[in-house]
Amino acid sequence: MINQRRADGSLRHLTTLDGLRRAEIEQLLERASAYVCAPGQMPPRNQNLAGVTIGNLFTEPSTRTRVSFELAGRRLGADVVNLEVQLSSRAKGETMLDTVHTLESLHFDVFIIRDSQSGVVAHVAANVMPHVSVLSAGEAHVSHPTQGLLDALTVRQCKGDRFDQLTIAIVGDIRHSRVARSAYEAFTGLGVGELRLIAPPALMPAAEEFPQGQRFTSPETGLPGADVVMMLRIQKERMEAAAIPDGEEYFQRFGLTPQRLALAKPDAIVMHPQPMNRGIEIESSVADGPQSVIRSQVSNGVAVRMAVLETVVRPGGSRT
Ligand code: CP
């Protein structure tokens, strides 16, 4: 793990939530809350990052993370460039670091990187100029820190800030999920009361990776009394073909149906990072139902990414 901080202790990079203090997570959520706006309202914007140039470098597909980082940068007044990796010299074999050094020469200040290989984001962060920040937009199965923060913000909006009074269940392909790892770091960092991991044995992570999680091999045993039910996508792109569960059988055993959701508390919220496999990990009537906060998670993504960008680029607040 690289050092994410400057010499004065302020956050310079965000490649993982591991090592963030509770107060830092709470400050990021507080700052993000100021940028949350309801659908149909004019989104907050300012010029706090005017003159800053941000590069989105995504080598894996993305809808939510890429668009919301772009909107976050633009709403803070920054210049934002989305590098089309397939049309860039990466396609000719140029390394990510050589691409980044080229863009540094063009006065880029922040790189937002999604990559399927673990270690790439940290390698870039360790080798950029001192004024440059690097943010992970999703690294292999390892981490997705801004997703962890937006998930925590969504829980806090719905359930308040007493995480110690909450039971949160994470259900599905936890083993291959960067979302689960960052959610675990965010929820445990905020002092969650009880964290449950519900998965078939083949999709359960190693015990040392989630030491605080109680393990369940069925929703029927793991969901009763839960305040939050976080469903995960089966990460087919990170599995051997032989290990991919049959969709129909998986839905029968682990899919979130209204009947299974009824095992959780009556006011439990349903989360999913998306993209969703409807009819495999979640039934549409639940995904689109009254307990679903899946769309709020997406909206909160912009607010969280505005807060993160401001924090790493301008420690201590805006320059206006
Ligand atoms: N949740 C998430 O990371 O979605 P995207 O892959 O669309 O960015």
Side-chain angles (χ1 to χ4, degrees), residues 234-261:
I234 294 183
Q235 312 269 302
K236 291 183 180 166
E237 67 275 28
R238 292 189 230 292
M239 291 182 208
E240 299 291 325
I244 295 174
D246 172 72
E248 204 169 314
E249 189 193 331
Y250 183 84
F251 182 72
Q252 292 304 326
R253 292 185 51 211
F254 283 89
L256 190 62
T257 58
Q259 295 75 22
R260 287 203 173 110
L261 179 56

Side-chain angles (χ1 to χ4, degrees), residues 61-66 114 144 147 178-179 273-275:
S62 170
T63 297
R64 284 145 287 271
T65 312
R66 199 179 97 147
R114 171 172 287 194
H144 195 348
Q147 179 75 41
R178 56 192 175 208
V179 171
Q274 303 195 78

Side-chain angles (χ1 to χ4, degrees), residues 21 27 64 81 90 104 145 165 185 201 286 289 302:
R21 293 183 287 274
Q27 273 167 18
R64 284 145 287 271
V81 175
R90 293 287 322 273
E104 279 182 316
Q165 296 179 353
E185 288 162 358
V286 176
V302 180

Side-chain angles (χ1 to χ4, degrees), residues 10-314:
S10 64
L11 208 58
R12 174 183 166 201
H13 305 299
L14 188 65
T15 65
T16 174
L17 297 179
D18 193 12
L20 260 64
R21 293 183 287 274
R22 179 176 183 154
E24 287 178 306
I25 297 176
E26 286 172 343
Q27 273 167 18
L28 283 165
L29 300 187
E30 206 55 48
R31 193 170 217 170
S33 297
Y35 286 125
V36 170
C37 77
Q41 282 184 343
M42 188 74 84
R45 57 178 70 236
N46 58 45
Q47 291 296 307
N48 289 349
L49 295 195
V52 170
T53 302
I54 297 172
N56 271 331
L57 279 55
F58 282 55
T59 65
E60 275 193 331
S62 170
T63 297
R64 284 145 287 271
T65 312
R66 199 179 97 147
V67 171
S68 59
F69 260 123
E70 179 175 355
L71 287 174
R74 291 191 195 286
R75 288 180 187 163
L76 294 167
D79 295 325
V80 183
V81 175
N82 294 312
L83 192 76
E84 296 299 335
V85 171
Q86 314 309 333
L87 301 178
S88 76
S89 285
R90 293 287 322 273
K92 298 181 212 162
E94 185 171 75
T95 66
M96 178 67 90
L97 195 54
D98 281 341
T99 300
V100 164
H101 286 326
T102 299
L103 298 175
E104 279 182 316
S105 303
L106 298 171
H107 303 285
F108 278 59
D109 305 287
V110 182
F111 294 101
I112 297 165
I113 298 176
R114 171 172 287 194
D115 203 274
S116 60
Q117 262 189 291
S118 65
V120 168
V121 183
H123 179 61
V124 172
N127 287 284
V128 287
M129 292 174 172
H131 71 281
V132 170
S133 291
V134 175
L135 307 179
S136 168
E139 176 187 357
H141 65 286
V142 177
S143 75
H144 195 348
T146 54
Q147 179 75 41
L149 291 171
L150 74 87
D151 289 337
L153 180 62
T154 307
V155 171
R156 202 175 83 144
Q157 279 172 343
C158 300
K159 298 290 173 190
D161 56 10
R162 292 295 307 267
F163 276 74
D164 60 323
Q165 296 179 353
L166 296 179
T167 297
I168 300 181
I170 303 180
V171 187
D173 182 6
I174 304 169
R175 174 174 287 189
H176 303 98
S177 175
R178 56 192 175 208
V179 171
R181 284 172 178 77
S182 288
Y184 176 85
E185 288 162 358
F187 296 151
T188 55
L190 291 165
V192 67
E194 195 176 330
L195 192 74
R196 300 181 184 168
L197 309 176
I198 306 174
L203 303 182
M204 192 67 91
E208 56 271 20
E209 280 195 284
F210 290 76
Q212 287 187 46
Q214 292 182 53
R215 286 147 188 270
F216 298 86
T217 52
S218 75
E220 283 68 25
T221 52
L223 286 182
D227 298 284
V228 176
V229 182
M230 175 186 277
M231 303 306 295
L232 297 174
R233 181 174 68 88
I234 294 183
Q235 312 269 302
K236 291 183 180 166
E237 67 275 28
R238 292 189 230 292
M239 291 182 208
E240 299 291 325
I244 295 174
D246 172 72
E248 204 169 314
E249 189 193 331
Y250 183 84
F251 182 72
Q252 292 304 326
R253 292 185 51 211
F254 283 89
L256 190 62
T257 58
Q259 295 75 22
R260 287 203 173 110
L261 179 56
L263 298 169
K265 285 191 181 159
D267 63 348
I269 56 169
V270 175
M271 302 175 69
H272 192 304
Q274 303 195 78
M276 278 183 278
N277 293 307
R278 290 171 182 263
I280 296 181
E281 66 255 1
I282 191 165
E283 193 174 299
S284 278
S285 64
V286 176
D288 304 325
Q291 289 170 262
S292 170
V293 295
I294 294 170
R295 289 190 181 195
S296 298
Q297 289 175 264
V298 180
S299 303
N300 286 337
V302 180
V304 155
R305 287 162 182 135
M306 289 173 83
V308 168
L309 281 166
E310 273 194 338
T311 299
V312 298
V313 176
R314 302 277 176 234

